[in-house]
Amino acid sequence: MAKCVMVLYPDPVDGYPPQYARDGIQVIHSYPGGSTVPTPSQIDFTPGDLLGCVSGALGLRKFFEDAGHELVVTSDKDGPDSEFERELPDADIVISQPFWPAYLTAERIAKAPNLKLALTAGIGSDHVDLDVAKERGITVAEVTYSNSISVAEHAVMQILALVRNFVPSHRWATDGGWNIADCAQRAYDLEGMDVGVIAAGRIGRAVLRRLAPFDVNLHYTDSRRLPPEVEAELNVTFHPDVQSLVQAVDVVSVHSPLYADTRAMFDEKLLASMRRGSYIVNTARAEETVPEAIAAALRSGRLAGYAGDVWFPQPPPADHPWRTMPNNAMTPHVSGTTLSAQARYAAGTREILECWFAGKAIRPEYLIVDAGQLAGTGALSYQK
């Protein structure tokens, strides 16, 4: 018997299950590039249900119970007295989501001698100390591509929200006003702007493809250059590094994984090199910025707007500088946890668990760390 500790975000404030806006979700059979959606032996949930909260349990309660395993599901994850901390010492498996991550630090892993599998329901495993996982022989996996398009759509939405000054305009309408001049004074067309993407992986490429019809001038930087035919198709300009990219664009969309070279890269110096009135959208990781520098750049007017879907820590404290900085279009970390995406990453989580319990190979695209080294997607994303 194995013990799994699953850390998920809390239920809706009005209770579970919610009243759903639609009767179902669209069916997707494959991802761009041809890889298939998750293929577990079966699922015990209805696609379109809210699965990412505690009561939803990723649709996996029956899976664990039928096999005689112990499952603990909690949203209490931070601090030495949290339920996660109490249940971790004898856990074999830890499952969490990027939106409400169970931070598996070196200290926490040291307290969990039985831990063998750290599984991210979604994309992004930087809440796990990957170096320690390699040393301990812990398998780290995630459901790659399950919510890539979800995040890409959110990034495009936030770009438009900033450039068109949507959030303040919406607030005027809902608060009973009709102050058109106040709305228009910060609103621009996206058409003709220079838009740059940092990291043209699955999400970054999807953003480029969705922005191309807006008749913008596309730019990107990545450690691995796109094939010439893709650059020609998208009419996109390559930059060798972040520094040269940000000086050439009006809008930056961040999609790079978090590692040493990207940590805190948007600091005061980099922000000062950008065009005055630039916009930044960050659906990657908050630690790739210096939060206080972002807030100061918005106050000074160096940045015209910042829209982030990622914070650190998650959830952030009430006094986090991004909650009150001007000209922001922040969201909680929700871009990749639409009901559509949840059906895919819940199914992918089950597929990984089925393989792991059966001793079968996990898809390489799901692997981050395996057999003491970066593997699969991990070798591409976290290895320079």
Side-chain angles (χ1 to χ4, degrees):
M1 185 185 80
K3 176 179 177 179
C4 175
V5 180
M6 184 183 295
V7 178
L8 303 177
Y9 47 74
D11 286 1
V13 294
D14 293 331
Y16 186 92
Q19 182 75 34
Y20 294 107
R22 296 175 57 83
D23 296 331
I25 61 171
Q26 61 275 40
V27 177
I28 295 174
H29 298 288
S30 64
Y31 301 128
S35 60
T36 61
V37 297
T39 54
S41 63
Q42 66 182 75
I43 57 173
D44 299 313
F45 61 83
T46 300
D49 283 359
L50 178 60
L51 304 170
C53 63
V54 170
S55 291
L58 298 177
L60 289 170
R61 290 187 189 277
K62 187 175 186 299
F63 171 80
F64 280 101
E65 291 170 358
D66 287 353
H69 302 301
E70 180 183 359
L71 176 63
V72 176
V73 187
T74 182
S75 62
D76 183 18
K77 68 184 182 70
D78 294 321
D81 298 322
S82 64
E83 186 174 5
F84 175 55
E85 193 92 15
R86 294 194 303 270
E87 297 288 350
L88 180 62
D90 58 348
D92 301 280
I93 304 166
V94 169
I95 301 174
S96 71
Q97 302 167 108
F99 332 106
W100 194 264
Y103 292 105
L104 280 170
T105 61
E107 293 76 18
R108 278 180 161 170
I109 293 175
K111 297 176 184 177
N114 296 339
L115 185 61
K116 304 175 186 69
L117 175 64
L119 207 168
T120 301
I123 302 172
S125 297
D126 46 79
H127 56 278
V128 180
D129 190 316
L130 299 181
D131 289 331
V132 176
K134 287 188 290 185
E135 294 170 6
R136 276 276 308 273
I138 297 168
T139 299
V140 182
E142 62 183 47
V143 192
T144 303
Y145 226 151
S146 59
N147 55 7
S148 297
I149 303 304
S150 312
V151 176
E153 289 182 358
H154 194 95
V156 173
M157 176 189 72
Q158 287 191 308
I159 289 171
L160 288 167
L162 286 179
V163 174
R164 298 306 297 261
N165 201 36
F166 173 81
V167 174
S169 301
H170 175 67
R171 194 175 297 124
W172 278 115
T174 57
D175 290 349
W178 195 256
N179 298 48
I180 294 175
D182 292 276
C183 301
Q185 66 177 331
R186 295 187 66 86
Y188 298 87
D189 292 343
L190 184 62
E191 180 185 21
M193 283 191 175
D194 292 295
V195 181
V197 164
I198 297 177
R202 295 175 180 87
I203 299 172
R205 284 197 304 273
V207 169
L208 290 171
R209 292 189 182 282
R210 281 153 180 75
L211 287 174
F214 283 87
D215 291 327
V216 294
N217 305 308
L218 292 173
H219 305 251
Y220 83 100
T221 186
D222 199 301
S223 58
R224 297 172 182 85
R225 189 164 180 173
L226 294 172
E229 61 272 19
V230 176
E231 289 188 353
E233 175 197 353
L234 295 173
N235 192 25
V236 61
T237 299
F238 174 73
H239 294 261
D241 51 44
V242 170
Q243 289 74 19
S244 61
L245 173 85
V246 301
Q247 295 174 32
V249 299
D250 305 292
V251 182
V252 178
S253 191
V254 186
H255 302 286
S256 43
L258 178 66
Y259 55 96
D261 287 354
T262 61
R263 188 177 295 276
M265 64 178 170
F266 278 93
D267 56 12
E268 185 177 353
K269 180 179 178 181
L270 186 64
L271 292 169
S273 72
M274 299 176 68
R275 295 176 180 176
R276 194 188 78 83
S278 294
Y279 305 90
I280 298 175
V281 168
N282 184 3
T283 53
R285 288 294 178 262
E287 299 98 307
E288 298 188 29
T289 74
V290 177
E292 295 79 7
I294 294 290
L298 287 168
R299 289 193 297 268
S300 71
R302 167 56 53 184
L303 287 179
Y306 181 90
D309 183 58
V310 286
W311 306 65
F312 184 80
Q314 294 188 137
D319 61 352
H320 192 289
W322 288 355
R323 291 189 184 271
T324 55
M325 63 188 180
N327 306 315
N328 82 78
M330 298 298 297
T331 55
H333 195 168
V334 296
S335 62
T337 190
T338 62
L339 297 181
S340 308
Q342 286 178 42
R344 294 189 293 272
Y345 69 66
T349 300
R350 175 157 177 163
E351 179 188 334
I352 292 168
L353 289 168
E354 287 180 353
C355 291
W356 191 77
F357 279 120
K360 297 180 180 178
I362 297 169
R363 290 198 212 189
E365 59 261 41
Y366 291 165
L367 287 172
I368 303 300
V369 172
D370 189 45
Q373 60 186 355
L374 291 172
T377 293
L380 295 173
S381 298
Y382 295 98
Q383 186 167 279
K384 190 173 179 182

